[in-house]
């Protein structure tokens, strides 16, 4: 599914609250810009039986007190076992999710610091990390562009 179709699906499935569909539309250039840096248009996400995405807490090797919580996104279903034994747990499910939906969810997943996309099937060395803070900054820039007053020519009268 191409990125335009993914964005349209996000808009179509958004709550009809008068805000969310417009918000998705406004931030879609940021979602697409990030998605275009990734190799795949959809990834597998490990989920609990309740549908919650599985978080992994990573510690910094040189500073063990420094931690971050990530969700891994896998290019193939087989790659889940490269990172996590949770994939072998019958209570865990893998779900294929369009890349723009993963990025959009990152904003809503409060405890998550990053999504780590594995980019090469069968390997854990080639990853692309999208930090929540980076995504939020991109989205804020998009929203500011939308809000900035349109330039009115001085000779309009």
């Amino acid at each position: 599914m191409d990125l335009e179709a993914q964005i349209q699906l996000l808009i179509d499935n958004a709550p009809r609250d008068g805000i969310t569909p417009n918000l998705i539309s406004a931030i879609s250039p940021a979602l697409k810009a990030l998605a275009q840096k990734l190799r795949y248009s959809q990834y597998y996400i490990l989920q609990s039986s309740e549908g919650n995405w599985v978080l992994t807490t990573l510690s910094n090797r040189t500073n063990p007190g420094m931690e971050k919580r990530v969700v891994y996104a896998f290019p193939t279903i087989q790659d889940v076992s490269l990172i996590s034994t949770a994939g072998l747990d019958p209570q865990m499910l893998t779900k294929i999710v369009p890349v723009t939906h993963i990025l959009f969810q990152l904003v809503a997943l409060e405890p998550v610091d990053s999504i780590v996309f594995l980019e090469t099937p069968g390997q854990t060395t080639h990853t692309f990390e999208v930090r929540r803070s980076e995504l939020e900054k991109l989205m804020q820039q998009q929203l500011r562009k939308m809000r900035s007053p349109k330039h009115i020519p001085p000779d309009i009268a």
Side-chain angles (χ1 to χ4, degrees), residues 34-41 43 99 103 117 119 128 130:
L34 276 173
Q36 287 169 343
K37 294 179 181 181
L38 295 161
R39 242 185 226 182
Y40 301 97
S41 64
Y43 289 81
V99 67
L103 294 169
F117 294 89
E119 291 289 82
F128 186 88
V130 177

Side-chain angles (χ1 to χ4, degrees), residues 123-140:
Q123 295 182 12
T124 59
T125 51
H126 184 230
T127 62
F128 186 88
E129 180 177 1
V130 177
R131 289 179 184 84
R132 170 204 289 277
S133 57
E134 290 172 12
L135 180 58
E136 286 174 344
K137 194 163 76 176
L138 274 174
M139 290 166 59
Q140 289 301 326

Side-chain angles (χ1 to χ4, degrees), residues 8 24 44 50 56 72 81-82 88 98-99 110 112 121 137 146-147:
Q8 191 57 53
I24 294 168
Y44 289 88
E50 295 85 41
T56 302
Y72 284 103
S81 63
L82 294 174
L88 304 172
V99 67
E110 259 320 307
V112 179
K137 194 163 76 176
M146 299 289 289
R147 267 190 254 130

Side-chain angles (χ1 to χ4, degrees), residues 83-133:
I83 298 282
S84 176
T85 56
L88 304 172
D89 183 337
Q91 299 298 309
M92 295 293 161
L93 314 164
T94 47
K95 182 178 178 191
I96 194 157
V97 181
V99 67
T100 57
H101 297 214
I102 296 170
L103 294 169
F104 185 68
Q105 281 297 315
L106 176 56
V107 179
L109 295 170
E110 259 320 307
V112 179
D113 298 307
S114 301
I115 304 277
V116 177
F117 294 89
L118 276 72
E119 291 289 82
T120 305
Q123 295 182 12
T124 59
T125 51
H126 184 230
T127 62
F128 186 88
E129 180 177 1
V130 177
R131 289 179 184 84
R132 170 204 289 277
S133 57

Side-chain angles (χ1 to χ4, degrees), residues 6-20:
Q6 289 184 24
I7 296 291
Q8 191 57 53
L9 191 59
L10 267 177
I11 292 168
D12 293 346
N13 292 329
R16 297 284 159 226
D17 55 11
I19 298 169
T20 309

